[in-house]
Amino acid sequence: MAEQEVLLKVEHLCQYFKTNKAVDDVSFDIKKGEVFGLVGESGCGKTTTGRSIIKLYDITSGSIYFSGKRIAAGTGSYRNAINEARAEMKTASPERKAELKALIAQQKQLIKEAKRDHFAKENRSVTQIQMIFQDPIASLDPRMTVYETIAEGLKIRGEKNKEIIDKKVFKVLERVGLVREHASRYPHEFSGGQRQRIGVARAVIMEPELIIADEPVSALDVSIQAQVINLLNDLRHELGLTILFIAHDLSVVKYFSDRIGVMYFGKMVELATSDELFAHPLHPYTKALLSAIPLPDPAYEKNRKRITYNPLASHDYSVDKPSMREVAPGHFVQCNDKEFAEYQRELQG
């Protein structure tokens, strides 16, 4: 089987808000046609990662590549390197000063390249990434009809032919399980599930290659959640979509995702295929998350043991620092040398 083409590549993404490190040195890639699940508790940086990819935020540092082109580049790490080099120059030897000057020149060049990539016209390809937001009512303009909401992206992109717009809007409405009569209504006239379908239609009409689904079912009833997930699954196969699926409900993520990344406190702590992650969780936080999944089985629930994750008790990173390492083919874990050896033994045993 041929290696799948990488559609989205995130390298050392950092997103800081003043002193808060919302996302800290996160790297992963998403292959064309797959669903990549991003999970973790509330506040771990999942949504910030998605919003950074679609450029709702200017990233602090790192790079994001889409279809081989850099669509976002942060300059924070380059500026830090320049400041550190300038501070060191005050006490450096003449030979070292020459090295530091060369380093500063190199970092300045990288900042120029990052700015050039950020504002390049080719970056209009970012319209090939669309987002479905968590709260359907908050993401829809109450003063716009469903037709206006769905057609807005086409008009911004330059489509002026009303017949073409009408045809596309009515077609996408039917595709997401609504009818053309809904086009003249306003968001408040719909249920939560229907509003989320409007959000899906707004994203799909742009014919994107990648959809970022930010907890699209968390605000919905369980029965409606299943309908929306099945809709996304059908659209994925029908339109050949690639999906970044952000959620904290692991049972939903397992059903829907090919690979899963687990985030904790702004960092990626584990990444593996869906089957591998559920069969062989290695990081203590992943084990804690999995232990919290309820099952509709009273006998199981009576004996289910919850695992509590305490990073200070679980890890000693005072000397041996952690990094993301491949413990098994395609299975990455944030760990140090000692933990790496333990995880390998765990997999072999």
Side-chain angles (χ1 to χ4, degrees):
M1 183 178 168
E3 184 69 21
Q4 279 179 283
E5 177 192 343
V6 172
L7 182 66
L8 182 85
K9 191 175 185 66
V10 176
E11 287 185 345
H12 307 292
L13 172 64
C14 294
Q15 185 67 64
Y16 301 163
F17 301 107
K18 295 185 179 178
T19 57
N20 176 30
K21 295 184 177 182
V23 179
D24 189 20
D25 197 22
V26 165
S27 298
F28 61 91
D29 57 49
I30 303 177
K31 297 179 175 67
K32 198 163 188 174
E34 81 169 339
V35 175
F36 185 90
L38 201 56
V39 301
E41 62 195 45
S42 296
C44 72
K46 310 184 298 295
T47 294
T48 302
T49 300
R51 286 170 173 258
S52 298
I53 290 169
I54 205 168
K55 298 177 76 172
L56 289 177
Y57 300 136
D58 289 335
I59 64 175
T60 305
S61 64
S63 297
I64 299 170
Y65 298 88
F66 180 72
S67 292
K69 293 177 184 173
R70 181 155 70 166
I71 59 168
T75 58
S77 55
Y78 306 144
R79 295 184 193 282
N80 288 340
I82 289 172
N83 292 337
E84 287 170 9
R86 283 175 175 161
E88 191 184 335
M89 279 181 77
K90 294 174 183 176
T91 56
S93 64
E95 295 83 4
R96 179 61 180 154
K97 278 184 179 178
E99 290 175 6
L100 291 169
K101 281 182 181 177
L103 176 67
I104 289 170
Q106 179 196 34
Q107 298 300 309
K108 284 182 175 178
Q109 182 61 31
L110 288 170
I111 289 172
K112 275 187 184 176
E113 289 174 9
K115 286 183 175 177
R116 185 189 66 215
D117 286 346
H118 186 77
F119 294 108
K121 284 184 180 177
E122 305 90 78
N123 280 352
R124 287 178 182 169
S125 65
V126 81
T127 59
Q128 289 301 298
I129 307 174
Q130 293 295 318
M131 193 162 188
I132 300 167
F133 294 92
Q134 178 175 358
D135 186 354
I137 191 65
S139 65
L140 299 173
D141 190 330
R143 293 176 297 277
M144 292 174 71
T145 63
V146 169
Y147 177 92
E148 291 167 337
T149 297
I150 296 173
E152 186 180 27
L154 293 176
K155 292 176 180 176
I156 290 170
R157 200 166 64 181
E159 183 59 67
K160 294 177 182 175
N161 188 319
K162 190 174 185 306
E163 282 185 23
I164 292 175
I165 294 173
D166 287 352
K167 186 178 177 182
K168 287 188 174 183
V169 169
F170 295 142
K171 185 179 178 182
V172 81
L173 274 174
E174 288 167 4
R175 184 172 259 163
V176 300
L178 299 172
V179 293
R180 60 173 60 202
E181 285 73 23
H182 287 142
S184 59
R185 298 185 190 175
Y186 290 86
H188 72 271
E189 299 180 71
F190 295 91
S191 67
Q194 288 175 318
R195 283 195 286 258
Q196 196 58 287
R197 288 173 187 270
I198 296 165
V200 172
R202 177 176 57 183
V204 167
I205 200 169
M206 298 299 289
E207 299 175 355
E209 290 187 61
L210 173 68
I211 283 183
I212 299 171
D214 179 19
E215 303 199 31
V217 296
S218 63
L220 307 176
D221 292 339
V222 174
S223 59
I224 307 300
Q225 285 184 13
Q227 291 176 20
V228 174
I229 290 293
N230 287 332
L231 170 64
L232 287 172
N233 212 12
D234 292 342
L235 290 172
R236 168 203 178 185
H237 295 297
E238 191 181 328
L239 305 175
L241 294 172
T242 305
I243 299 175
L244 171 58
F245 187 74
I246 299 168
H248 54 247
D249 187 338
L250 278 160
S251 51
V252 171
V253 174
K254 182 186 181 185
Y255 162 74
F256 193 47
S257 303
D258 299 304
R259 287 188 303 143
I260 299 173
V262 180
M263 286 187 71
Y264 175 74
F265 218 65
K267 287 187 175 291
M268 186 82 76
V269 295
E270 191 159 1
L271 195 161
T273 63
S274 179
D275 292 339
E276 172 70 13
L277 191 80
F278 277 77
H280 305 292
L282 294 175
H283 196 278
Y285 178 66
T286 308
K287 291 179 179 178
L289 272 185
L290 294 178
S291 77
I293 300 175
L295 289 179
D297 180 351
Y300 170 82
E301 284 296 307
K302 189 176 179 181
N303 299 310
R304 176 161 63 99
K305 292 180 181 176
R306 287 289 309 273
I307 299 171
T308 304
Y309 176 59
N310 181 347
L312 294 176
S314 300
H315 314 284
D316 179 12
Y317 293 152
S318 54
V319 178
D320 191 3
K321 300 296 181 186
S323 60
M324 203 68 170
R325 311 186 191 199
E326 192 169 15
V327 178
H331 193 157
F332 298 84
V333 187
Q334 181 87 6
C335 58
N336 59 19
D337 292 336
K338 182 185 175 187
E339 290 172 332
F340 181 72
E342 287 173 0
Y343 294 153
Q344 287 196 313
R345 282 197 298 271
E346 189 175 331
L347 286 175
Q348 290 164 2

